[in-house]
Amino acid sequence: MRPITNVIAALLCWTGAAGAEELHRATVWDLKLGQPISAQPSPNEFRGFACGSNGGPPRQRLTGWSDFARCGAEPNGLHEVYFEYDDELEYIARARDLDREVARWAGTTEFAFPVIVSALFDAKGVLKGIRVVTDPRPDHRDDTTDADLRRRDDAYLFGGRMASRFAIDAKRDCTALPPAEGENAVGERFIKQSCELEDPALHQKVALRINFFRKPGQSAFNPQMATQLTQGQFESSARLEVLDTGGP
C-alpha cells in the first residue's frame, strides 16, 4: 500500500461529481512488453511481489521487478514474477462505505473476476510476457464476500472477455479439445478450448485456454448419497498468456 498520507489525501478529494478526474490504478495492462525493467511501472504501483508458480499462488517473496532472477526459470527460460494490484482505492471505498466502488477496486481483479497476474522476464531483465489466470482463492475468503466478485463457477466466462480484448475469433483461432478419459460435462456444458493468435505487427503471440468441465472422479452428486449435490466439483478457469515475439 502507498503511504498513509496519500490515502488520506485521496479520501478527502474523492468525489463523484461530474468532471472529476477519472481514478486509475496500475494493472497488468500497464506493463510494457519487450521493454526492460527500467521502462516498467514503479514497483510502488503494485504490491505482494513474489516468485510465481505457473499462474498459481505466490512462492518466495520479492521486493519488486529487479528480484526476478531469484525465481527459477521456466522451460522457456523466463522468470515469473507474481504481483498484486495496489489496494489504496479499495481501502478508501471501504472507509467511505461505497459498496459500488469496493466492487470496482477490490483485490486483483479484471471485470470483477479475481485473477492471478504475473510478469515474465528473460535473463536480461526484459519483459517477454504477461500471464493472467482466473483465481479460485476468493471463494474461500470472508473478506471478499461484500465485493460482489465473480465466483469460480463463472471463471470460464473471463475467457470470452479476453478473446474480445485481443480480437480472437473462435472459428479461426480456437480449437475445441475432446474430453480426456474421465472428463465430462457440467450439466450439458463441456468447454475445453485452446486459442492462439499471432500478431506480427505488434510482435505478440496470444494464447488463451478456457475450461469448464468435470475432472475424473468429480460428480454433481455425492456417490454416498445420491440425492445430495456436491459443491465445487468442477474445473472452471481461463488462462491468458501474451508473449513478445520481437526477438532477443
Side-chain angles (χ1 to χ4, degrees):
M1 184 184 295
R2 298 175 192 172
I4 191 65
T5 52
N6 290 356
V7 177
I8 295 173
L11 179 59
L12 294 173
C13 296
W14 194 330
T15 175
E21 182 180 353
E22 180 67 19
L23 296 173
H24 173 78
R25 67 173 175 178
T27 71
V28 67
W29 312 118
D30 292 304
L31 272 60
K32 298 176 175 61
L33 283 176
Q35 298 296 314
I37 288 174
S38 60
Q40 306 306 325
S42 167
N44 293 332
E45 294 291 311
F46 301 103
R47 65 188 184 96
F49 288 94
C51 291
S53 58
N54 195 21
R59 291 178 174 170
Q60 179 184 4
R61 290 294 178 183
L62 307 175
T63 60
W65 310 124
S66 59
D67 286 343
F68 74 92
R70 295 172 60 188
C71 306
E74 298 184 348
N76 59 6
L78 301 182
H79 304 260
E80 182 185 16
V81 176
Y82 166 106
F83 61 97
E84 298 172 358
Y85 295 169
D86 185 75
D87 59 359
E88 178 182 314
L89 295 178
E90 178 187 356
Y91 180 92
I92 296 170
R94 290 185 183 279
R96 299 196 63 184
D97 293 324
L98 300 174
D99 293 343
R100 185 174 177 180
E101 295 300 320
V102 169
R104 180 181 181 186
W105 305 112
T108 302
T109 57
E110 293 289 340
F111 302 106
F113 289 91
V115 291
I116 293 174
V117 294
S118 51
L120 306 174
F121 292 95
D122 69 10
K124 297 179 180 179
V126 174
L127 183 71
K128 301 299 288 184
I130 58 172
R131 182 175 285 155
V132 184
V133 183
T134 49
D135 184 357
R137 295 174 299 173
D139 274 7
H140 309 287
R141 286 173 47 193
D142 293 337
D143 62 328
T144 60
T145 56
D146 62 343
D148 196 27
L149 301 181
R150 305 295 289 264
R151 296 184 65 83
R152 187 171 66 90
D153 49 353
D154 287 338
Y156 74 98
L157 297 173
F158 181 69
R161 293 279 196 167
M162 295 298 96
S164 177
R165 182 184 184 98
F166 290 95
I168 291 175
D169 182 277
K171 292 182 178 179
R172 181 192 65 200
D173 306 314
C174 302
T175 301
L177 303 176
E181 183 176 356
E183 294 177 347
N184 56 82
V186 180
E188 298 181 352
R189 184 166 297 174
F190 181 94
I191 302 174
K192 193 177 181 182
Q193 196 171 42
S194 179
C195 310
E196 287 193 1
L197 175 65
E198 190 156 354
D199 189 331
L202 294 177
H203 305 292
Q204 291 181 0
K205 180 179 180 180
V206 181
L208 178 64
R209 182 70 180 264
I210 307 170
N211 293 321
F212 189 59
F213 56 84
R214 295 194 194 279
K215 297 178 179 180
Q218 294 182 333
S219 172
F221 296 94
N222 185 343
Q224 306 301 322
M225 187 179 297
T227 59
Q228 184 182 68
L229 293 174
T230 60
Q231 297 291 324
Q233 291 198 17
F234 55 84
E235 167 73 12
S236 177
S237 62
R239 177 188 179 96
L240 173 78
E241 289 186 3
V242 184
L243 298 176
D244 172 56
T245 60

